[in-house]
Amino acid sequence: MAPLVLLAVLLFCFFSSQAALRPCEDGDWKFDFSECTQGPLGAGLVRSAFAFAPTGVCDAHAGGSRPLPKALTGLPCEIPCAANHRLGIELEQESSASAQRRLTVECRKCETGRFSLGGGSITDGSIGEWGGTWLQGLATACLYRGADYEWHLGGKDRLTCVLHFNAGQASMVVETRAGTWNEQLPDQALDLNFRAVDGLLCEPLNNTAGLKSAVVLVLRGTCPFAVKTAHLAAAGASAVIIYNNLWERSHFHPAAPPNFSLPSIPIFMVTREDGERLKAAATLAYSKGQIPKLSTASTRCSTAANERAPEVNSSSAAVSGVSANSSANDSSEAVLGCAHWRADPSGRFLHSGANHQFHKLFSFLTLSVRFVRDGHIRFKYAVDAEARYDGLIFEIDGEPAWGDVMQSQVSPWKTFSANVQRGAHTFTWAYRKDFGTSHGEDRAKLQLLEISGTAHADHVCRSCSGHSTDVAENGCWKCPANHYLKPSLVQGNRSVCQACPNGTWAAPGSTGPDACVPRQACSAQDVELIYHAPYNSKLSATGICHGNKTLIRARWRQPQVCDPRNPGSVTLLSATSLTSESEVRSCPPCQPLEWRPSGQACENRPARSCAAGLFPMSRIVVDQWHVWPKNFTSWVWGKTSQETQLHGWKCSLDGSAAIVGSAYSAGPELIEHSDAKNDQALLTLEVNLSSQGWLEFYVEENPLGAWSRAGALYVDHEPNTDGSVLHDHGIRQVWVSLKPGFHWLTWVWRYGDAFEDVDAADHDGFSGKSGLRLLNVSVENVVGGSAAGRCMRCPQGQGLSSSLLGVAATCQPCAAGRSSTDYASGDRSQQGGTGMCLVCPPGRASCGNAGIGSLICHQCGPGLQSKEGAAFCSPTPVIGSDERQPQWGPQVIEASWANSGNITALRAVQVEDRKYYINLFTPSSAPKVPGALHPQLPIQAYWWEWLPPRETEESSTCSTGSFLRPVGDLLESVQSSSDTSIQGIWLTYSGDCESGNSGQHRVRRAYLLLKCDPELSGDDPVLSFVQNARPSSTTSCEDVALEWRSFAACPLCKSSDWQPVFSETCVPGRGRNVTHVAASACFGGVKAPQDHWEPCAEEAPIEALIVLLSIS
């Protein structure tokens, strides 16, 4: 019975509600068109126009209701209307009170303040429309070239192996790769204490405190991964995380060298960026007395344990790569994939996806649509990509609209339009990336997409408010603040702006009198303080102090949206501590590391005096917000950005914070009664870091959760935070690591995501308004910052310069022959981080790392030596320590190599289709080859390779020209051949290499066999590839081995090598001639004994004859 009772109740309620509706009047009817259908023969597509009673308003069947207007049938679907007109359905003029009204269909001019395209669609990011449903027919896809050189469809969520870092309320997830030997160890889940250590751990540890049963983070470089892991295993560690020593390179699978005992604990690898984040987060945790933890579901990174790749890592990672400093046999893996076009969270634009870490790809955005009449396409776009190699291509029906031009650098927004004929068309925006290098934002952006011609007419007119389109120029214009567009008031062909009544206000661009809303009572949020330098009008407009005094003036924030005459309003004086609206007072405080020595502008305090080996770190600290600090800018992104900044970031009246949001903005009604609720308030800070540093700031949330809901930090236009901790009173601490160079830091408040739509009853103490207070900002290692703060050691690879008169010492890259490692003390615990540039000891050398600075002096390998302060290792005078075995003289070989050509350093050699430039024992800068591109860094190498022109498309169309890359910038060893059948020596070089096919980096080795051949001179050297050692392509990173056959490569001659050769004839009175020849091929060394004469065996000496004669 219960279901039947419920049904009866529902039916009663329904009919009761219907019975309660009043009869319909002519003004109640709503109108619409039916779908187009095929009409009678020859009529084409037709449709109907009909009227209907709106639900819940009136009952068309009730007594006394006006008769429903009769539908119009057989209407052609192709009734055209011009731009700024709409195809409307209206009632005919009334003929009698009781007659059934007729419908009429005709083009009507758009109302004032509205526009149309005459049949089309428009999506405008300037008003956040990309945050909604995309235009029908708009789709995205992407393709990337895999390791098999085939194209693959990509763009889905990528699952990967991750590490979880936790310290208190701070957490972080980073992507990783497991070591190859992890497969030989039991698979297990880890949840361990986390430790970060300094140095490279290439030697056993003296101090093992805190390492037992911990997972330890260590920098890559100098020695194999297995050596580092073995040292940590001996110290009691349970696992190792290696982080790359190169920026913008990916992780890969760490491997052990051949014939090396596999370590007993697992190893993982992360990027340099993630390693620095982990290290900074751990340091912060230690300072708070917290013990950071690290966990992972599988030491083997099994597929079942994989998780979604963290976005913060994918946006900052770049091409995979390895360093030339590692002597391990690295097993690197390229990051393969691609990302789709997607909408920015703000809805302001579409972009080509987060493809910074990917290469060799196309990210497509396609629009397939049918034009029913001739029309046009128009869009606004911007691009920031690697010039000439990456960029945006636009095609119409498969044909490039820009010819052979690819747009790589377009900023600000640029407009493109093209006429389109009737018919079906496909438009394609393709963001293309070649095989290497990412630049800037590394994406294309689309703000406006306007299509006209996809329909014969628009049925509605759109509001002009906020649109960036130019089509509406003849029908759209905006009234200023406190005015509205009055359609009934016409001057010429246009309506005019009417002032709002007294006591009301309207946002800019308002239409109609209803846009004018009452002014509310003024609050302290409507007041601002303006600071001026008193007494001296000639001072700079940016100066606010003179003689330690400032003139403070209170005023209402502009445009003013409150009425101070309303009951409950504050006054300018009651909202401040001033006694008059303009008052001279002491200057506001400078920032913590600044002062006013002259009583005017704030300056950096004098540099702090630090102990030996330390330097005063240059940093900025901001906690005073009376006026905007240097390099800070506030602005609003959205519809109202050009008319008002009332809801942007502001300085608080007491100078304690930068404030934003409806809880702190002047005139919160602006947000409620205008388009400002979709805006974003931005606060930006421009900084230039001299070396690796980090940003830290404190923000107060109102209410709790406001930061995660509507706030964000963008670093170089991408969301980026390494971690955060929520303290008492709703204060959140946030930090992020920063690489050297220029950065654009942006604090964002998104009004559309704020709490204004949340019922205050659901949140205790919530007023219905929300916002943020930015309290404190600090950035380390800022160029131009104050050096009055903490004393620090220089970063690895750098040391203090000599201080000059009045100039503090600064960190400078360690030059060639020096490094930041102390080899004299024997303590390697601070390897690379002494804070000083120390001379390399004998047996070690450093090249200066192309001006970046050397953190170590690499040890000279077999057959090499160096003096103190050497930039590179030189061959020992003799190769081969055993005098009983063959020995070689490098100086003799080098002289033969150099003197055989017309150059004194690099020698050009052609080997089949490959061209190299080689100097055997002395590194040199890149050779000057006409038309070839050269490395940007001042690299020196022993071996250079000429590469053919770089292709810009899959076809043979080529770009500007050839280029040079170093093959070997480190001479690892000079050793005699271990194969006794080969008389010669091996020269082994190594260097970092980026593959032209995949963007993959690895350590590449180059071998040169100097093979003894007494038949060949060095004047015309014969070089060839060693068997199976020819790289498969000119752009690959495969190892290469060449063979140089020459008499100069023969061993040094020894005394025992020279064998006497006697002439066959005996010269009377002289004997026979004795010369010397080498029993085996040799060159240089001990010279042959001097030729001489010896008596013949059958010829008695003259003395013996005299004796015999005298006896006889």
Side-chain angles (χ1 to χ4, degrees):
M1 291 295 294
L4 293 177
V5 172
L6 179 59
L7 177 62
V9 172
L10 292 175
L11 291 172
F12 174 78
C13 293
F14 173 77
F15 287 112
S16 297
S17 64
Q18 293 299 306
L21 296 178
R22 61 175 174 79
C24 292
E25 300 176 357
D26 284 335
D28 293 326
W29 307 124
K30 299 295 182 182
F31 312 104
D32 201 356
F33 289 98
S34 67
E35 295 293 328
C36 290
T37 59
Q38 184 64 47
L41 185 63
L45 295 176
V46 296
R47 59 183 172 179
S48 300
F50 61 92
F52 62 94
T55 303
V57 175
C58 65
D59 183 3
H61 302 286
S65 179
R66 290 285 293 152
L68 189 70
K70 185 178 180 179
L72 282 177
T73 60
L75 295 174
C77 289
E78 299 183 358
I79 301 176
C81 286
N84 297 322
H85 290 71
R86 65 179 177 86
L87 185 64
I89 307 173
E90 296 183 1
L91 292 173
E92 285 185 342
Q93 294 296 323
E94 185 176 357
S95 57
S96 66
S98 61
Q100 185 181 24
R101 300 283 294 274
R102 296 178 179 272
L103 299 180
T104 179
V105 175
E106 59 183 7
C107 294
R108 295 282 185 177
K109 185 174 176 60
C110 290
E111 299 83 356
T112 303
R114 306 184 74 83
F115 76 98
S116 79
L117 298 173
S121 64
I122 180 171
T123 306
D124 192 352
S126 68
I127 54 176
E129 289 187 334
W130 286 115
T133 303
W134 286 14
L135 176 67
Q136 185 176 2
L138 194 62
T140 180
C142 68
L143 295 172
Y144 70 92
R145 174 159 283 181
D148 56 0
Y149 300 101
E150 299 293 332
W151 289 100
H152 299 268
L153 190 65
K156 296 183 178 180
D157 288 341
R158 187 165 52 91
L159 299 180
T160 185
C161 188
V162 299
L163 303 174
H164 294 267
F165 174 92
N166 291 281
Q169 298 185 40
S171 63
M172 191 188 320
V173 179
V174 298
E175 187 175 345
T176 188
R177 294 284 189 272
T180 57
W181 68 74
N182 290 16
E183 295 294 327
Q184 310 302 320
L185 302 175
D187 192 18
Q188 57 182 319
L190 298 181
D191 188 8
L192 305 170
N193 291 344
F194 176 85
R195 302 289 298 183
V197 297
D198 294 323
L200 297 173
L201 299 191
C202 290
E203 299 183 14
L205 289 163
N206 296 324
N207 183 6
T208 61
L211 301 183
K212 188 174 182 180
S213 301
V215 55
V216 183
L217 178 72
V218 62
L219 183 66
R220 176 184 178 222
T222 301
C223 57
F225 303 122
V227 171
K228 300 173 187 283
T229 307
H231 291 159
L232 285 170
S238 294
V240 180
I241 302 174
I242 299 290
Y243 67 104
N244 211 334
N245 53 359
L246 294 179
W247 294 102
E248 297 186 351
R249 300 291 187 268
S250 183
H251 32 41
F252 49 85
H253 296 285
N259 303 320
F260 199 95
S261 298
L262 295 181
S264 59
I265 61 176
I267 185 173
F268 300 90
M269 186 171 188
V270 298
T271 65
R272 177 66 181 267
E273 289 79 4
D274 283 339
E276 296 292 349
R277 291 190 187 99
L278 289 170
K279 193 172 182 180
T283 301
L284 191 63
Y286 299 148
S287 68
K288 298 179 180 298
Q290 300 170 342
I291 300 178
K293 307 279 287 186
L294 191 132
S295 62
T296 187
S298 169
T299 53
R300 293 183 181 176
C301 286
S302 63
T303 304
N306 282 354
E307 302 177 33
R308 181 179 176 180
E311 292 184 1
V312 66
N313 296 340
S314 64
S315 65
S316 60
V319 193
S320 66
V322 297
S323 166
N325 294 333
S326 175
S327 59
N329 290 337
D330 301 328
S331 175
S332 64
E333 178 180 315
V335 178
L336 301 176
C338 59
H340 288 164
W341 283 72
R342 56 177 295 184
D344 183 76
S346 67
R348 304 296 178 182
F349 54 85
L350 289 184
H351 65 84
S352 55
N355 284 300
H356 191 80
Q357 79 274 30
F358 301 131
H359 297 279
K360 207 64 175 176
L361 63 86
F362 289 90
S363 183
F364 297 103
L365 180 70
T366 59
L367 174 62
S368 298
V369 65
R370 180 176 178 270
F371 281 68
V372 299
R373 59 176 175 82
D374 291 349
H376 72 264
I377 182 173
R378 197 169 71 91
F379 58 89
K380 288 187 176 182
Y381 68 100
V383 189
D384 187 10
E386 182 191 10
R388 300 193 309 275
Y389 301 121
D390 302 345
L392 180 67
I393 302 167
F394 177 61
E395 296 179 348
I396 301 177
D397 298 329
E399 294 296 327
W402 299 327
D404 295 332
V405 177
M406 179 171 58
Q407 304 289 345
S408 299
Q409 294 289 311
V410 178
S411 180
W413 299 108
K414 184 176 181 179
T415 301
F416 174 82
S417 62
N419 295 325
V420 182
Q421 294 181 343
R422 177 180 176 178
H425 296 281
T426 299
F427 307 97
T428 303
W429 295 263
Y431 185 70
R432 176 194 179 277
K433 293 190 67 177
D434 70 348
F435 54 74
T437 307
S438 296
H439 171 84
E441 293 189 39
D442 193 20
R443 62 182 179 177
K445 296 186 290 187
L446 197 65
Q447 183 200 48
L448 169 75
L449 178 56
E450 177 183 292
I451 304 291
S452 177
T454 54
H456 293 284
D458 288 323
H459 295 166
V460 296
C461 296
R462 295 175 57 121
S463 171
C464 294
S465 180
H467 272 290
S468 63
T469 180
D470 301 327
V471 169
E473 281 186 344
N474 293 327
C476 289
W477 67 97
K478 293 182 180 180
C479 291
N482 303 325
H483 290 72
Y484 65 93
L485 206 62
K486 188 174 182 180
S488 60
L489 189 60
V490 179
Q491 291 181 356
N493 293 325
R494 294 193 174 191
S495 300
V496 298
C497 296
Q498 181 75 26
C500 287
N502 290 334
T504 64
W505 69 277
S510 297
T511 301
D514 293 340
C516 298
V517 295
R519 295 182 184 270
Q520 303 296 317
C522 294
S523 68
Q525 296 171 209
D526 295 295
V527 181
E528 66 178 342
L529 296 177
I530 307 299
Y531 294 82
H532 295 281
Y535 314 129
N536 191 344
S537 62
K538 295 182 179 180
L539 289 179
S540 168
T542 58
I544 64 171
C545 283
H546 179 71
N548 287 319
K549 297 293 182 180
T550 187
L551 176 64
I552 307 177
R553 183 164 61 90
R555 72 175 187 182
W556 302 110
R557 294 191 186 274
Q558 299 299 314
Q560 185 178 341
V561 296
C562 68
D563 189 344
R565 298 169 297 181
N566 287 351
S569 287
V570 301
T571 65
L572 291 175
L573 299 185
S574 65
T576 65
S577 61
L578 300 179
T579 58
S580 63
E581 293 184 9
S582 294
E583 185 176 320
V584 175
R585 287 193 174 186
S586 297
C587 295
C590 293
Q591 302 301 339
L593 300 180
E594 297 179 342
W595 67 333
R596 299 184 194 274
S598 61
Q600 298 186 31
C602 292
E603 301 176 6
N604 289 333
R605 290 185 178 275
R608 182 176 178 178
S609 178
C610 297
L614 302 179
F615 75 100
M617 181 176 59
S618 176
R619 61 197 295 248
I620 59 172
V621 178
V622 174
D623 65 5
Q624 299 295 319
W625 304 91
H626 299 85
V627 296
W628 285 124
K630 184 169 60 176
N631 294 334
F632 276 86
T633 305
S634 171
W635 51 301
V636 174
W637 191 6
K639 284 186 180 182
T640 58
S641 60
Q642 305 213 350
E643 293 87 6
T644 179
Q645 294 280 315
L646 283 176
H647 56 309
W649 285 85
K650 299 292 182 185
C651 294
S652 63
L653 285 178
D654 61 0
S656 63
I659 55 178
V660 73
S662 60
Y664 307 112
S665 296
E669 300 83 7
L670 173 71
I671 302 167
E672 181 180 353
H673 296 287
S674 73
D675 298 315
K677 56 181 174 288
N678 295 317
D679 289 349
Q680 295 188 59
L682 311 176
L683 180 64
T684 60
L685 168 63
E686 296 178 76
V687 293
N688 180 16
L689 270 63
S690 59
S691 57
Q692 173 76 18
W694 54 284
L695 159 72
E696 182 184 43
F697 62 91
Y698 291 81
V699 61
E700 180 181 339
E701 303 177 330
N702 181 11
L704 288 178
W707 171 258
S708 59
R709 181 181 175 104
L713 173 73
Y714 279 62
V715 177
D716 302 327
H717 314 292
E718 293 288 344
N720 192 345
T721 55
D722 288 341
S724 66
V725 175
L726 182 63
H727 300 283
D728 295 336
H729 310 296
I731 297 177
R732 182 172 295 277
Q733 178 187 10
V734 185
W735 64 89
V736 59
S737 59
L738 300 173
K739 295 188 298 184
F742 286 93
H743 294 286
W744 183 270
L745 312 176
T746 306
W747 289 264
V748 180
W749 176 258
R750 298 183 291 263
Y751 279 95
D753 296 332
F755 281 88
E756 278 68 22
D757 59 343
V758 176
D759 190 347
D762 296 334
H763 295 264
D764 293 338
F766 179 42
S767 65
K769 300 175 182 178
S770 59
L772 300 174
R773 285 169 45 87
L774 183 61
L775 306 175
N776 179 289
V777 176
S778 65
V779 188
E780 289 185 345
N781 297 324
V782 178
V783 176
S786 173
R790 298 179 299 189
C791 291
M792 302 288 291
R793 292 188 184 276
C794 288
Q796 293 184 342
Q798 297 186 21
L800 288 176
S801 63
S802 300
S803 57
L804 305 175
L805 291 176
V807 179
T810 58
C811 290
Q812 299 292 333
C814 293
R818 295 174 177 268
S819 77
S820 56
T821 297
D822 184 5
Y823 293 95
S825 66
D827 180 14
R828 298 292 185 271
S829 63
Q830 296 295 326
Q831 183 166 339
T834 61
M836 297 178 289
C837 289
L838 304 173
V839 176
C840 293
R844 291 181 178 269
S846 75
C847 63
N849 199 13
I852 299 174
S854 299
L855 64 94
I856 64 162
C857 301
H858 66 265
Q859 191 165 7
C860 297
L864 299 171
Q865 64 178 6
S866 70
K867 297 180 179 179
E868 183 180 71
F872 57 91
C873 298
S874 302
T876 56
V878 175
I879 304 301
S881 58
D882 190 351
E883 295 183 356
R884 294 170 298 178
Q885 299 296 327
Q887 295 180 314
W888 282 262
Q891 291 76 14
V892 175
I893 296 173
E894 184 176 32
S896 177
W897 176 270
N899 291 338
S900 59
N902 296 324
I903 59 175
T904 58
L906 291 168
R907 178 168 186 171
V909 293
Q910 186 79 34
V911 186
E912 298 181 12
D913 60 337
R914 314 297 168 84
K915 191 168 186 177
Y916 303 106
Y917 297 84
I918 302 174
N919 191 345
L920 298 182
F921 303 123
T922 305
S924 302
S925 301
K928 302 299 181 182
V929 179
L933 299 177
H934 292 71
Q936 296 180 350
L937 293 176
I939 300 173
Q940 289 196 324
Y942 299 85
W943 188 329
W944 292 87
E945 181 178 18
W946 178 88
L947 296 181
R950 184 179 184 180
E951 293 186 0
T952 58
E953 298 292 342
E954 292 304 310
S955 65
S956 60
T957 303
C958 295
S959 63
T960 53
S962 60
F963 57 102
L964 292 157
R965 69 173 178 180
V967 176
D969 52 19
L970 177 66
L971 178 58
E972 291 187 350
S973 63
V974 180
Q975 295 178 286
S976 58
S977 173
S978 59
D979 186 350
T980 56
S981 64
I982 298 177
Q983 286 278 359
I985 59 175
W986 284 98
L987 277 59
T988 303
Y989 308 89
S990 66
D992 178 65
C993 178
E994 177 183 3
S995 172
N997 290 327
S998 64
Q1000 176 180 333
H1001 281 245
R1002 67 177 295 267
V1003 173
R1004 182 188 193 188
R1005 284 184 170 77
Y1007 305 92
L1008 182 58
L1009 172 61
L1010 310 183
K1011 188 174 183 180
C1012 173
D1013 190 335
E1015 302 297 327
L1016 297 175
S1017 69
D1019 294 334
D1020 187 17
V1022 177
L1023 277 84
S1024 60
F1025 286 107
V1026 175
Q1027 186 176 6
N1028 299 324
R1030 183 184 186 276
S1032 59
S1033 71
T1034 56
T1035 57
S1036 76
C1037 283
E1038 300 166 75
D1039 291 349
V1040 58
L1042 297 180
E1043 178 182 298
W1044 176 37
R1045 302 167 67 92
S1046 171
F1047 73 90
C1050 295
L1052 292 173
C1053 297
K1054 302 177 181 179
S1055 300
S1056 57
D1057 290 331
W1058 299 108
Q1059 300 295 324
V1061 177
F1062 300 92
S1063 61
E1064 295 181 355
T1065 59
C1066 186
V1067 179
R1070 300 193 65 182
R1072 57 182 179 179
N1073 187 30
V1074 181
T1075 60
H1076 294 78
V1077 296
S1080 59
C1082 65
F1083 180 74
V1086 177
K1087 295 182 179 181
Q1090 189 173 1
D1091 293 351
H1092 61 277
W1093 293 85
E1094 288 188 1
C1096 298
E1098 63 277 5
E1099 181 179 347
I1102 188 65
E1103 294 84 357
L1105 262 171
I1106 296 174
V1107 171
L1108 289 173
L1109 290 172
S1110 59
I1111 293 175
S1112 60

